[in-house]
Structure formats: structure tokens, C-alpha cells
Amino acid sequence: MTEPSAVARLSRDLTSALKADDLEDFYRDLHRHPETAFREHRTAGKLAGRLRSAGYRVAEGVGGTGVVGVLENRDGPVVWLRGDLDALPVTEATGLEYASTTAGVMHACGHDLHLTWLAGAAEALAAGRATWSGTLVVVGQPAEEVGGGAAAMVRDGLHERFPRPDALFGQHVTPGPAGLCSHTPGLIMSASDDLDVVVHGVGGHGSRPESTVDPVVTAAYIVTRLQAVLAREVAARDAVVLTVGQFHAGTQHNIIPAEARLALNLRTQDPRVRERVLAAVRRTVEGECRAAGCPVDPEISVRSGFPNTVNDAELDASVAAVHRQVLGEGAVFDFGPAMGSEDFALLAPDGVPYAYWFLTSTPPDVWRAAPGDDLQQKLDRVPGNHSPLFAPDPSVLMPGVLTLVSAALTRLAS
Ligand code: ZN
Ligand code: ZN
């Protein structure tokens, strides 16, 4: 493998040959025109167009709206770089000159920035192909936010139709003083499951509860009892979040409804803890329904959206080493695993190592103005991903290209 310093030099050379203005325009255009999961037709077309102009063989419509670009450049390793296409149903409140022009939709998770990084890296590596050998595969993945995009691409033949990777790389923008990079060897993102619960009671008149089985009260007991599951059945060392995100029941003041519906989200970092909590949720829901005398068993369905994201420690260390060279020794941190989730890991065929990292993007003035004395206090107060105020600093545009290019070159540079 080539020395980190040589890879860093080469990465800087290739990246500095890009036109920064042109990439900034691309970013602003994507930000103005956000599209939600599996509807990223315009966004996918823009990425595909840039890849084609840069000399990639491009397939569109992979797993719905996914884009795959392949650049074969002599014998050598196969490296996949991934970005995500989708925006969120959020009404933008940043007041930016290039704010969303689509009502109720916003690039509030920074996937527009991810695609700009991806396009920039693809172009820099294509223009500099004389300096490396191997195959570069650029993956524009749809629907990361709803957890279906990576699986849809795999079902559509991602692993059979394109060269099999030796390594995969992905990166995500996150709050924090702009320009830092967080690398975590091993587990970096949590698993996420969505659960839907239906409590079947017996409806009736609000004045005669004795003739009903009130599903509102039963569902309320379920919500509170689940807090005790976390407090009393999970060890202090195990990270778990269980959120009741929806509670729907009833139509009118004086009607006891016949059913109540709950929507839960579970985040875990250990498959054994996940199984344990899922079993406890089932037991709690069924037990409360039995205690209330529900005439029909409750329905509980689990949709597993995201697996754990577990970096290959060796691969991640080699990428972190080159990132220290390109960004500066003090710019690379380990924030530790996040409770957030990703479907990036599903893109990797079984056993193929991957590395995923975060780049911080809070504008310097916003960071300075945030109340608090330490990093954590400030982090809790600056606009984060999914906030209507989330506005990454444009200064992170070229650094994000550089981190992707240098990661790819750790494997491709000859
Ligand atoms: Zn997101
Ligand atoms: Zn995201």
C-alpha cells in the first residue's frame, strides 16, 4: 500500500484541479430542488449526467431511482463510493438565498452535500486516472431516510450487475465546528426497528365505560410501562432508545374508540439487546391487553429498517491516517458510536469491509454564538440534521471531496 503522505499529496493535487465554483453551483441547485425518498428523479438525473460527462458507464433506475457509475481503469482493486439522493418532508426555515423551492420538502440531512462530494470525487478521480489503477464504482443511493433504498438496489442486482467491491466508503455531514472528521473503528451507527402496534378494545358511549374495553387507557399503560422496560430490563452499559412516535385513537369527545394505534422506534447497538427489548415490548403489549380484557389479541409488527453500521477497524484506520494528512492532525476525532442509523452497510456484499465517517459542518459564526462552554453543550444547541434550520457551511465542500478522493486512493493508488 502507498504511504499516507503520498496518497494525501496526490489527493490534494487531483482535488485542487476541480472548479470549486462549478461544484458550488451544483450543490445550490440540488439544495433548491429537493426530492423525497424514491422520487429523486431530477436529482438522480443530475448525478448521472455529471458521471457520464466524466467518462463513467452509467446505469440509472437501479432499485427505483438509484444511479451507478463505473470507471474501469486498468487492473487493480474495486472501490465503491456512496452518496444518498433523498431529501425530507421538512419546511425549510434557513432563509438561505438557495433555499428549497419545493413547498414542504428540504435537504435537511445534507444529502445534497453528499452528492456534491460524490460528484466532485468522481470527477477528480476520473480526470486523474493516469495516477491510479483499478475500478471505481460510484453509487447514488435513493431513499436512505426511509431505510429502503439500499435494500432496493441490492434486490435490483447491485451485487451481480456491477464489479464486486474490495472496499466501500461513505460519509455523512453532521453538526460540529466545520471541517472536522469523526472516525470510529467498529460500531459507528445503531440498528433501527420500526414497530406498529394495534390495541383492539371494545368501543362504546363515553358515558358508559363499563360496557367497553377502552383501548386509549390500555395504550397509555403500554406507553408508560415501556419506559420501565428500558429502566429495569436493560443493563446500564447497553445503549437503547425506544420512542413512541405516534399514538392515534378516537374521533370525538364522547366516543370510546374500538382501537388504538402506536408507532414505536427502537435503536440498539447489540443484536442480543435488540432481541431482548423486542421480546419485552411484545410481552408488555400482550400483557397490558390481557389485563384490560381486550377481546382480541393485539397486533405487533416489526420492520427492521437499518442494521448496525460496523466499520472494518483496519480499513477505517488507514482512511483516518490519510484524513489526518489531508485535513490536519487535529481535525480527526473519534466521537464514538451514534444512536442514528444508516442503510449504507446493506450495500456491502457479505464480508466486504467498509468505512463510514462523519464531517462536521456548522458555520463558524453559528458555532461561536451557540451557548455552552464545551463541545457537547454547543452540539445540543446548534441546528442538527433534520432541523428546518440545518445549513451546512459551504466551506466544507472541497474538504468533503478531498476525504472521499483520499479514501479511494488508499486502495487505488499504485
Ligand atoms: Zn437523515
Ligand atoms: Zn442522512
Side-chain angles (χ1 to χ4, degrees), residues 180-395:
L180 305 181
C181 182
S182 173
H183 272 276
T184 304
L187 179 88
I188 182 162
M189 301 274 270
S190 306
S192 172
D193 295 281
D194 286 333
L195 291 85
D196 290 290
V197 172
V198 186
V199 173
H200 295 288
V202 176
H205 201 285
S207 68
R208 297 186 58 237
E210 71 278 14
S211 68
T212 71
V213 177
D214 189 342
V216 175
V217 175
T218 306
Y221 275 127
I222 291 171
V223 172
T224 47
R225 181 146 194 127
L226 287 174
Q227 314 308 313
V229 166
L230 299 192
R232 303 287 79 190
E233 296 189 42
V234 177
R237 65 179 171 274
D238 293 323
V240 176
V241 177
L242 179 64
T243 291
V244 180
Q246 293 182 42
F247 188 134
H248 296 293
T251 53
Q252 196 169 296
H253 298 68
N254 62 348
I255 300 172
I256 293 171
E259 65 173 42
R261 289 171 179 268
L262 301 175
L264 280 56
N265 179 252
L266 173 66
R267 308 277 171 147
T268 52
Q269 297 184 338
D270 178 339
R272 285 167 304 183
V273 175
R274 173 179 176 271
E275 283 308 316
R276 187 171 175 154
V277 175
L278 285 175
V281 170
R282 277 201 189 88
R283 197 191 67 233
T284 302
V285 171
E286 287 165 3
E288 287 297 340
C289 289
R290 209 164 302 137
C294 291
V296 179
D297 286 341
E299 294 163 47
I300 306 164
S301 54
V302 180
R303 266 176 301 126
S304 143
F306 305 92
N308 283 312
T309 306
V310 186
N311 280 332
D312 181 86
E314 203 178 312
L315 182 69
D316 188 63
S318 65
V319 174
V322 79
H323 285 171
R324 273 187 208 99
Q325 301 263 348
V326 294
L327 297 178
E329 194 64 39
V332 177
F333 283 90
D334 180 355
F335 288 158
M339 288 315 295
S341 308
E342 252 292 348
D343 61 356
F344 166 76
L346 295 176
L347 296 173
D350 266 353
V352 172
Y354 58 80
Y356 186 91
W357 59 88
F358 292 99
L359 281 177
T360 57
S361 69
T362 306
D365 54 330
V366 176
W367 185 260
R368 265 195 307 275
D373 303 320
D374 65 14
L375 186 81
Q376 195 55 55
Q377 285 175 332
K378 281 179 174 282
L379 271 181
D380 293 341
R381 302 300 289 272
V382 294
N385 305 65
H386 295 203
S387 157
L389 296 171
F390 188 61
D393 194 55
S395 72

Side-chain angles (χ1 to χ4, degrees), residues 5-83:
S5 54
V7 170
R9 240 184 344 266
L10 177 56
S11 307
R12 266 194 227 102
D13 289 349
L14 297 190
T15 304
S16 60
L18 292 171
K19 291 195 197 82
D21 292 359
D22 170 57
L23 272 184
E24 250 178 74
D25 287 347
F26 183 61
Y27 170 60
R28 294 204 170 101
D29 178 68
L30 293 177
H31 193 85
R32 273 192 197 104
H33 302 285
E35 296 168 302
T36 52
F38 288 123
R39 292 181 185 161
E40 315 93 328
H41 299 284
R42 181 185 186 275
T43 311
K46 292 278 172 186
L47 176 66
R50 285 194 85 113
L51 293 177
R52 232 174 249 123
S53 316
Y56 287 72
R57 178 160 52 82
V58 177
E60 290 182 76
V62 182
T65 41
V67 176
V68 181
V70 180
L71 184 68
E72 275 157 345
N73 183 34
R74 302 187 294 272
D75 284 344
V78 179
V79 167
W80 286 21
L81 301 181
R82 177 269 207 168

Side-chain angles (χ1 to χ4, degrees), residues 88 109 111 144-145 386:
L88 286 160
C109 203
H111 297 187
E144 185 279 328
E145 294 290 354
H386 295 203

Side-chain angles (χ1 to χ4, degrees), residues 47 51 56 62 66-70 79-85 114-115 118 122 136-142 149-150 153 158 162-163 165 168-169 344 347:
L47 176 66
L51 293 177
Y56 287 72
V62 182
V67 176
V68 181
V70 180
V79 167
W80 286 21
L81 301 181
R82 177 269 207 168
D84 32 18
L85 304 167
H114 302 174
L115 289 179
L118 188 66
L136 190 63
V137 177
V138 174
V139 179
Q141 183 209 301
M153 290 189 91
L158 184 70
F162 305 99
L168 275 84
F169 299 113
F344 166 76
L347 296 173

